[in-house]
Amino acid sequence: IRVGVDVNFPPFTQAGIDADNPVGFEIDLINELAAKSGVAVKFINSDSNQLLAFVSQCQLDVGISGITISEPLKTSMEFTPSYYSTGQVVVVKEGNIVITGKDDLTGMKVGTQDGTPSELELEKIPAVQILDYGNFELAMEDLINGYLDAVVIDYPHALTYVNVDRNNLKIVGDEFGRADYGIAV
């Protein structure tokens, strides 16, 4: 089975020792399902936008990498039941005392990944200057370098950036919104 993954989605999926052997929670999940089903798996790295196109065009058999089960996507692919549910959070630099949660984002320059539940939740907040990025990593780099006031991102993904001391980032406020991850087939 050809399984598309985006190795830029830690802690769920990330590059391993080599490109053909990614690691993470989703990789363990797929390997366990494959073992129980008696099938062989080949992981193919692809960015998240290409991954969805390849699954919908049957160039990949399966896609996994924090793919949110949504009505628009259901028109071009099937999904397993949700294997993980999460909310969105606001990430700011350590010294930021102005932003304490999503209600403080009005008038701020906020980054997120294009086409994600994080972007959808951010669009609900009035007068936010939204900067869309191809992936969360680029948004986080701009936050770290002082080009953004905040980033809206899913909670587990946020932890991978906040837990790196040199990034000097923190999560503020409570989780909001909901995203259910499924395996696309």
Side-chain angles (χ1 to χ4, degrees), residues 32-70:
E32 185 66 25
L33 292 170
K36 288 186 185 263
S37 302
V39 297
V41 173
K42 176 176 172 78
F43 292 103
I44 299 167
N45 184 31
S46 176
D47 76 38
S48 58
N49 292 326
Q50 287 179 323
L51 189 148
L52 294 173
F54 291 158
V55 170
S56 69
Q57 297 165 3
C58 299
Q59 294 174 330
L60 293 170
D61 302 306
V62 174
I64 191 167
S65 282
I67 300 171
T68 303
I69 301 169
S70 68

Side-chain angles (χ1 to χ4, degrees), residues 3 6 17 22 25 54 72 79 82 93 99 102 109-110 121 126 157 161:
V3 179
D6 181 349
I17 294 171
F25 169 75
F54 291 158
F79 284 92
S82 174
K93 291 185 87 165
I99 300 172
K102 73 173 187 154
K109 192 165 33 171
V110 183
E121 289 299 323
H157 206 166
Y161 294 100

Side-chain angles (χ1 to χ4, degrees), residues 25 27 32 41 44 55 75 83 95 115 125 136 162 170:
F25 169 75
I27 302 305
E32 185 66 25
V41 173
I44 299 167
V55 170
T75 63
Y83 63 86
I125 301 170
F136 283 119
V162 170
K170 65 181 178 179

Side-chain angles (χ1 to χ4, degrees), residues 73-123:
L73 287 179
K74 286 182 179 179
T75 63
S76 61
M77 62 192 76
E78 299 288 326
F79 284 92
T80 64
S82 174
Y83 63 86
Y84 192 84
S85 293
T86 187
Q88 312 311 307
V89 293
V90 177
V91 177
V92 297
K93 291 185 87 165
E94 277 286 342
N96 187 319
I97 58 172
V98 174
I99 300 172
T100 61
K102 73 173 187 154
D103 295 336
D104 297 323
L105 295 178
T106 300
M108 299 292 175
K109 192 165 33 171
V110 183
T112 195
Q113 182 173 327
D114 186 34
T116 62
S118 299
E119 179 186 41
L120 295 175
E121 289 299 323
L122 190 54
E123 289 173 347

Side-chain angles (χ1 to χ4, degrees), residues 121-140:
E121 289 299 323
L122 190 54
E123 289 173 347
K124 295 176 185 177
I125 301 170
V128 173
Q129 183 181 349
I130 301 172
L131 284 92
D132 287 323
Y133 291 82
N135 60 54
F136 283 119
E137 186 174 324
L138 295 173
M140 288 301 207

Side-chain angles (χ1 to χ4, degrees), residues 89-92 94 153-155 158-159 162 169-174:
V89 293
V90 177
V91 177
V92 297
E94 277 286 342
I153 186 172
D154 61 276
Y155 180 72
L159 288 176
V162 170
L169 300 174
K170 65 181 178 179
I171 295 171
V172 293
D174 297 323

